[in-house]
Amino acid sequence: EVNKFDCSEGTLYYEQGGYCNWADQVTCETTRMPSYEPTVSPSSTEPTYEPTQLDIEAGVFYPNFNTGTCSGDGNFPKNVGRQYLFSNAANCCDKYFPTNRKNCLKASEPTPPPAPAEGSEWYPDYANDSCKND
């Protein structure tokens, strides 16, 4: 059972729903967005001189607190903080769902295409400008 002490940083426990959710999607009488303190040490020993850009075209994973998984469907909430966006599912699952990592990673895998039934392979029919599977 999820309680208010199980929620990841940046999320709040939504009592009516019984789950953790984005802080800006929970109605309460406290601060709507969390405040973050700076880290004590740098994240890298080598200076980058400019922010590292996240390649959104290559796919972005974000935590879905309703399902306890990370999703790469591109439907992350508007104005979501950079700390919630990851270039791969593993980093997202490690950060927000470490106790559910196996299920999180499995749910983040793309669905494989269905295998064609025997004799039903499609091929182009250039003469009729269509595809056939006879």
Side-chain angles (χ1 to χ4, degrees), residues 2 26 28 52 59 63 71 74 77 79 81-82 87 89 113 117 126 129:
V2 177
V26 174
C28 60
T52 303
S71 180
N79 303 321
R82 171 66 177 86
S87 60
Y126 296 109
D129 199 26

Side-chain angles (χ1 to χ4, degrees), residues 26 39 54 79 86 91 104 118:
V26 174
T39 59
L54 182 65
N79 303 321
F86 297 85
N91 290 346
C104 180
E118 191 169 325

Side-chain angles (χ1 to χ4, degrees), residues 18 28 32 39 46 55 61 65 73-74 80-81 83-84 110 115-116:
C28 60
R32 292 183 58 73
T39 59
E46 294 293 318
D55 184 5
F61 289 85
F65 296 106
D73 61 8
V80 66
Q83 71 271 20
Y84 295 108

Side-chain angles (χ1 to χ4, degrees), residues 49-67:
Y49 302 106
E50 59 185 56
T52 303
Q53 295 295 318
L54 182 65
D55 184 5
I56 292 182
E57 298 298 322
V60 175
F61 289 85
Y62 65 96
N64 182 332
F65 296 106
N66 294 331
T67 61

Side-chain angles (χ1 to χ4, degrees), residues 25 66 69 90 108 117:
Q25 295 180 2
N66 294 331
T69 61
S108 302

Side-chain angles (χ1 to χ4, degrees), residues 63-65 68-70 92-101 104:
N64 182 332
F65 296 106
T69 61
C70 289
C92 179
C93 292
D94 287 346
K95 172 75 175 177
Y96 290 101
F97 308 110
T99 59
N100 189 36
R101 186 177 195 278
C104 180

Side-chain angles (χ1 to χ4, degrees), residues 18-40:
Y19 54 85
C20 300
N21 204 349
W22 298 101
D24 66 345
Q25 295 180 2
V26 174
T27 305
C28 60
E29 296 180 18
T30 60
T31 305
R32 292 183 58 73
M33 294 297 291
S35 58
Y36 296 94
E37 294 183 23
T39 59
V40 176

